[in-house]
Amino acid sequence: GAVVSQHPSRVICKSGTSVKIECRSLDFQATTMFWYRQFPKQSLMLMATSNEGSKATYEQGVEKDKFLINHASLTLSTLTVTSAHPEDSSFYICSAVVGLEVATQYFGPGTRLTVL
Amino acid sequence: AQSVTQLGSHVSVSEGALVLLRCNYSSSVPPYLFWYVQYPNQGLQLLLKYTTGATLVKGINGFEAEFKKSETSFHLTKPSAHMSDAAEYFCALKANAGGTSYGKLTFGQGTILTVHP
């Protein structure tokens, strides 16, 4: 149980285009999902907290107009990188909280974004 | 404020040797503590967690960790390393502030474990 998927696993796009990444909880409902960014050889940086049916809460320094987050259902959150630039190239990982299980986040497999 | 420090960005052991990955934390409230493992180009997999109760926590793949409040530590150990243990390991903390059952995780910098034959 507690499986989180992400799609696509890998995407290459041209500079200026927008890319959408999906995060799904496959066998549970997730009222809260988190989006992280990981640069090579570095730790995870929390970008935003996504709550179903409400606006995402962004961490300081994260551009909300650039990284659009939608949590339309209890099993799906999407991250859209708008007008992507090469500096947006990174590994994006989502996580979800399982029901009433205290504190534990379950992570998706990640999406490798490369912007040319 | 809370923080997590992992001592040693790289640890190298021989197959069959003891694995010890160090994690120290700082938190103004009782912490929940986690160890995650990440294989190349993959997400994070939960190894084990401490919330309350027994301070020695056993996880998957033979790993265990002990919460030591007096030392503000949560070191990860495994008696005998396997080649398949080679990966990056992250220690993480969530403040146990009561009320909400979920919240932000603060991650350590990560430790890359290399296992030699």
Side-chain angles (χ1 to χ4, degrees), chain A residues 24-104:
Chain A
R24 293 181 184 274
S25 55
L26 297 184
D27 50 1
F28 64 97
Q29 294 183 329
T31 54
T32 300
M33 291 183 172
F34 301 87
W35 286 97
Y36 295 85
R37 183 173 181 177
Q38 186 179 32
F39 290 104
K41 301 185 187 302
Q42 294 189 29
S43 189
L44 280 73
M45 179 192 79
L46 180 65
M47 300 175 65
T49 302
S50 169
N51 291 297
E52 185 266 339
S54 63
K55 291 183 179 180
T57 302
Y58 290 82
E59 293 301 297
Q60 190 173 10
V62 177
E63 299 176 61
K64 59 182 68 176
D65 293 332
K66 180 159 188 68
F67 298 100
L68 300 179
I69 292 172
N70 184 289
H71 195 154
S73 77
L74 288 172
T75 59
L76 174 64
S77 176
T78 60
L79 167 67
T80 301
V81 183
T82 62
S83 187
H85 291 285
E87 57 266 31
D88 298 324
S89 298
S90 191
F91 195 51
Y92 292 87
I93 306 175
C94 71
S95 71
V97 173
V98 180
L100 298 177
E101 186 172 341
V102 176
T104 302

Side-chain angles (χ1 to χ4, degrees), chain B residues 69-114:
Chain B
K69 184 179 178 180
S70 61
E71 298 178 8
T72 60
S73 70
F74 191 57
H75 301 330
L76 181 71
T77 61
K78 182 173 180 177
S80 176
H82 290 177
M83 297 295 290
S84 60
D85 294 328
E88 187 161 17
Y89 292 78
F90 291 94
C91 182
L93 173 153
K94 174 194 171 298
N96 178 11
T100 56
S101 62
Y102 42 80
K104 301 176 190 177
L105 285 176
T106 300
F107 283 90
Q109 303 91 323
T111 299
I112 295 174
L113 175 66
T114 303

Side-chain angles (χ1 to χ4, degrees), chain B residues 19-97:
Chain B
V19 175
L20 171 60
L21 304 182
R22 299 178 187 272
C23 173
N24 287 89
Y25 69 90
S26 173
S27 178
S28 57
V29 298
Y32 292 150
L33 293 160
F34 306 83
W35 276 100
Y36 286 90
V37 60
Q38 185 181 34
Y39 296 98
N41 295 309
Q42 294 186 29
L44 276 67
Q45 180 182 6
L46 180 68
L47 278 178
L48 49 79
K49 64 181 178 183
Y50 167 78
T51 53
T52 57
T55 56
L56 181 61
V57 180
K58 295 186 184 300
I60 62 172
N61 301 338
F63 285 94
E64 62 182 39
E66 186 170 12
F67 171 62
K68 291 187 176 180
K69 184 179 178 180
S70 61
E71 298 178 8
T72 60
S73 70
F74 191 57
H75 301 330
L76 181 71
T77 61
K78 182 173 180 177
S80 176
H82 290 177
M83 297 295 290
S84 60
D85 294 328
E88 187 161 17
Y89 292 78
F90 291 94
C91 182
L93 173 153
K94 174 194 171 298
N96 178 11

